[in-house]
PDB file of all heavy atoms in Angstrom:
ATOM      1  N   ALA A  20      69.181 106.312 126.903  1.00 41.00           N
ATOM      2  CA  ALA A  20      68.253 105.170 126.957  1.00 41.00           C
ATOM      3  C   ALA A  20      67.659 104.890 125.602  1.00 41.00           C
ATOM      4  O   ALA A  20      67.061 105.793 125.007  1.00 41.00           O
ATOM      5  CB  ALA A  20      67.146 105.498 127.966  1.00 41.00           C
ATOM      6  N   LYS A  57      94.658  79.220 134.235  1.00 89.00           N
ATOM      7  CA  LYS A  57      93.198  79.417 134.078  1.00 89.00           C
ATOM      8  C   LYS A  57      92.879  80.638 133.227  1.00 89.00           C
ATOM      9  O   LYS A  57      91.971  80.591 132.339  1.00 89.00           O
ATOM     10  CB  LYS A  57      92.584  79.572 135.467  1.00 89.00           C
ATOM     11  CG  LYS A  57      91.082  79.819 135.470  1.00 89.00           C
ATOM     12  CD  LYS A  57      90.534  79.907 136.882  1.00 89.00           C
ATOM     13  CE  LYS A  57      89.031  80.224 136.922  1.00 89.00           C
ATOM     14  NZ  LYS A  57      88.526  80.269 138.330  1.00 89.00           N
ATOM     15  N   ASP A  91     100.909  66.007 126.091  1.00 57.00           N
ATOM     16  CA  ASP A  91     101.943  65.585 125.178  1.00 57.00           C
ATOM     17  C   ASP A  91     101.701  66.248 123.790  1.00 57.00           C
ATOM     18  O   ASP A  91     100.953  65.759 122.977  1.00 57.00           O
ATOM     19  CB  ASP A  91     101.955  64.039 124.991  1.00 57.00           C
ATOM     20  CG  ASP A  91     103.160  63.571 124.232  1.00 57.00           C
ATOM     21  OD1 ASP A  91     103.815  64.405 123.603  1.00 57.00           O
ATOM     22  OD2 ASP A  91     103.472  62.298 124.350  1.00 57.00           O
ATOM     23  N   PRO A 125      92.408  73.604 125.957  1.00 45.00           N
ATOM     24  CA  PRO A 125      91.701  72.910 126.977  1.00 45.00           C
ATOM     25  C   PRO A 125      90.373  73.571 127.286  1.00 45.00           C
ATOM     26  O   PRO A 125      90.253  74.617 127.847  1.00 45.00           O
ATOM     27  CB  PRO A 125      92.631  72.933 128.191  1.00 45.00           C
ATOM     28  CG  PRO A 125      93.964  73.383 127.670  1.00 45.00           C
ATOM     29  CD  PRO A 125      93.673  74.182 126.501  1.00 45.00           C
ATOM     30  N   THR A 178      66.185  52.740 124.369  1.00 98.00           N
ATOM     31  CA  THR A 178      65.151  52.126 123.543  1.00 98.00           C
ATOM     32  C   THR A 178      64.419  53.166 122.675  1.00 98.00           C
ATOM     33  O   THR A 178      63.730  52.766 121.749  1.00 98.00           O
ATOM     34  CB  THR A 178      64.122  51.403 124.451  1.00 98.00           C
ATOM     35  OG1 THR A 178      63.559  52.348 125.319  1.00 98.00           O
ATOM     36  CG2 THR A 178      64.812  50.336 125.208  1.00 98.00           C
ATOM     37  N   ILE A 238      77.725  69.687 125.578  1.00 92.00           N
ATOM     38  CA  ILE A 238      77.148  71.059 125.686  1.00 92.00           C
ATOM     39  C   ILE A 238      75.653  71.011 125.391  1.00 92.00           C
ATOM     40  O   ILE A 238      75.225  70.292 124.490  1.00 92.00           O
ATOM     41  CB  ILE A 238      77.863  72.001 124.687  1.00 92.00           C
ATOM     42  CG1 ILE A 238      79.338  72.251 125.146  1.00 92.00           C
ATOM     43  CG2 ILE A 238      77.121  73.337 124.596  1.00 92.00           C
ATOM     44  CD1 ILE A 238      80.149  73.029 124.164  1.00 92.00           C
ATOM     45  N   GLN A 244      67.714  78.887 117.152  1.00 96.00           N
ATOM     46  CA  GLN A 244      67.828  77.756 116.210  1.00 96.00           C
ATOM     47  C   GLN A 244      68.712  78.162 114.983  1.00 96.00           C
ATOM     48  O   GLN A 244      69.318  77.272 114.419  1.00 96.00           O
ATOM     49  CB  GLN A 244      66.436  77.358 115.767  1.00 96.00           C
ATOM     50  CG  GLN A 244      66.464  76.154 114.774  1.00 96.00           C
ATOM     51  CD  GLN A 244      65.105  75.760 114.363  1.00 96.00           C
ATOM     52  OE1 GLN A 244      64.100  76.204 114.854  1.00 96.00           O
ATOM     53  NE2 GLN A 244      64.996  74.853 113.366  1.00 96.00           N
ATOM     54  N   GLU A 291      66.509  86.090 144.132  1.00 94.00           N
ATOM     55  CA  GLU A 291      67.824  85.984 143.567  1.00 94.00           C
ATOM     56  C   GLU A 291      68.379  87.311 143.060  1.00 94.00           C
ATOM     57  O   GLU A 291      69.545  87.348 142.615  1.00 94.00           O
ATOM     58  CB  GLU A 291      67.819  84.965 142.418  1.00 94.00           C
ATOM     59  CG  GLU A 291      67.565  83.530 142.932  1.00 94.00           C
ATOM     60  CD  GLU A 291      67.547  82.531 141.806  1.00 94.00           C
ATOM     61  OE1 GLU A 291      67.492  82.892 140.598  1.00 94.00           O
ATOM     62  OE2 GLU A 291      67.593  81.286 142.100  1.00 94.00           O
ATOM     63  N   TYR A 292      67.574  88.388 143.078  1.00 96.00           N
ATOM     64  CA  TYR A 292      68.046  89.638 142.560  1.00 96.00           C
ATOM     65  C   TYR A 292      67.428  90.810 143.322  1.00 96.00           C
ATOM     66  O   TYR A 292      66.515  90.618 144.169  1.00 96.00           O
ATOM     67  CB  TYR A 292      67.756  89.813 141.042  1.00 96.00           C
ATOM     68  CG  TYR A 292      66.272  89.823 140.747  1.00 96.00           C
ATOM     69  CD1 TYR A 292      65.555  90.999 140.716  1.00 96.00           C
ATOM     70  CD2 TYR A 292      65.584  88.660 140.456  1.00 96.00           C
ATOM     71  CE1 TYR A 292      64.218  91.032 140.410  1.00 96.00           C
ATOM     72  CE2 TYR A 292      64.307  88.641 140.137  1.00 96.00           C
ATOM     73  CZ  TYR A 292      63.573  89.831 140.102  1.00 96.00           C
ATOM     74  OH  TYR A 292      62.220  89.846 139.811  1.00 96.00           O
ATOM     75  N   TRP A 308      71.924  85.757 121.832  1.00 98.00           N
ATOM     76  CA  TRP A 308      71.194  86.705 122.678  1.00 98.00           C
ATOM     77  C   TRP A 308      71.975  88.038 122.546  1.00 98.00           C
ATOM     78  O   TRP A 308      72.725  88.486 123.470  1.00 98.00           O
ATOM     79  CB  TRP A 308      71.185  86.196 124.106  1.00 98.00           C
ATOM     80  CG  TRP A 308      70.284  84.987 124.262  1.00 98.00           C
ATOM     81  CD1 TRP A 308      70.656  83.685 124.138  1.00 98.00           C
ATOM     82  CD2 TRP A 308      68.870  85.008 124.526  1.00 98.00           C
ATOM     83  NE1 TRP A 308      69.576  82.856 124.323  1.00 98.00           N
ATOM     84  CE2 TRP A 308      68.455  83.636 124.580  1.00 98.00           C
ATOM     85  CE3 TRP A 308      67.958  86.000 124.783  1.00 98.00           C
ATOM     86  CZ2 TRP A 308      67.131  83.268 124.846  1.00 98.00           C
ATOM     87  CZ3 TRP A 308      66.625  85.643 125.007  1.00 98.00           C
ATOM     88  CH2 TRP A 308      66.233  84.341 125.070  1.00 98.00           C
ATOM     89  N   ASP A 328      81.234 109.377 138.052  1.00 63.00           N
ATOM     90  CA  ASP A 328      80.078 110.022 137.468  1.00 63.00           C
ATOM     91  C   ASP A 328      80.252 110.280 135.970  1.00 63.00           C
ATOM     92  O   ASP A 328      79.314 110.704 135.299  1.00 63.00           O
ATOM     93  CB  ASP A 328      79.813 111.319 138.188  1.00 63.00           C
ATOM     94  CG  ASP A 328      79.140 111.107 139.542  1.00 63.00           C
ATOM     95  OD1 ASP A 328      78.761 109.940 139.812  1.00 63.00           O
ATOM     96  OD2 ASP A 328      79.026 112.057 140.308  1.00 63.00           O
ATOM     97  N   ASP A 365      99.141  94.746 129.168  1.00 97.00           N
ATOM     98  CA  ASP A 365      98.772  93.641 128.297  1.00 97.00           C
ATOM     99  C   ASP A 365     100.019  92.808 128.058  1.00 97.00           C
ATOM    100  O   ASP A 365     100.949  93.250 127.366  1.00 97.00           O
ATOM    101  CB  ASP A 365      98.236  94.223 126.982  1.00 97.00           C
ATOM    102  CG  ASP A 365      97.601  93.165 126.102  1.00 97.00           C
ATOM    103  OD1 ASP A 365      97.578  92.008 126.517  1.00 97.00           O
ATOM    104  OD2 ASP A 365      97.123  93.520 124.989  1.00 97.00           O
ATOM    105  N   VAL A 444      62.488  83.671 126.105  1.00 97.00           N
ATOM    106  CA  VAL A 444      62.615  83.036 124.768  1.00 97.00           C
ATOM    107  C   VAL A 444      61.475  83.483 123.831  1.00 97.00           C
ATOM    108  O   VAL A 444      61.779  83.821 122.662  1.00 97.00           O
ATOM    109  CB  VAL A 444      62.642  81.522 124.875  1.00 97.00           C
ATOM    110  CG1 VAL A 444      62.822  80.852 123.488  1.00 97.00           C
ATOM    111  CG2 VAL A 444      63.693  81.023 125.852  1.00 97.00           C
TER     112      VAL A 444
END
Side-chain angles (χ1 to χ4, degrees):
K57 179 179 176 180
D91 190 343
T178 59
I238 292 174
Q244 182 181 349
E291 293 180 348
Y292 65 89
W308 291 90
D328 284 350
D365 190 358
V444 182

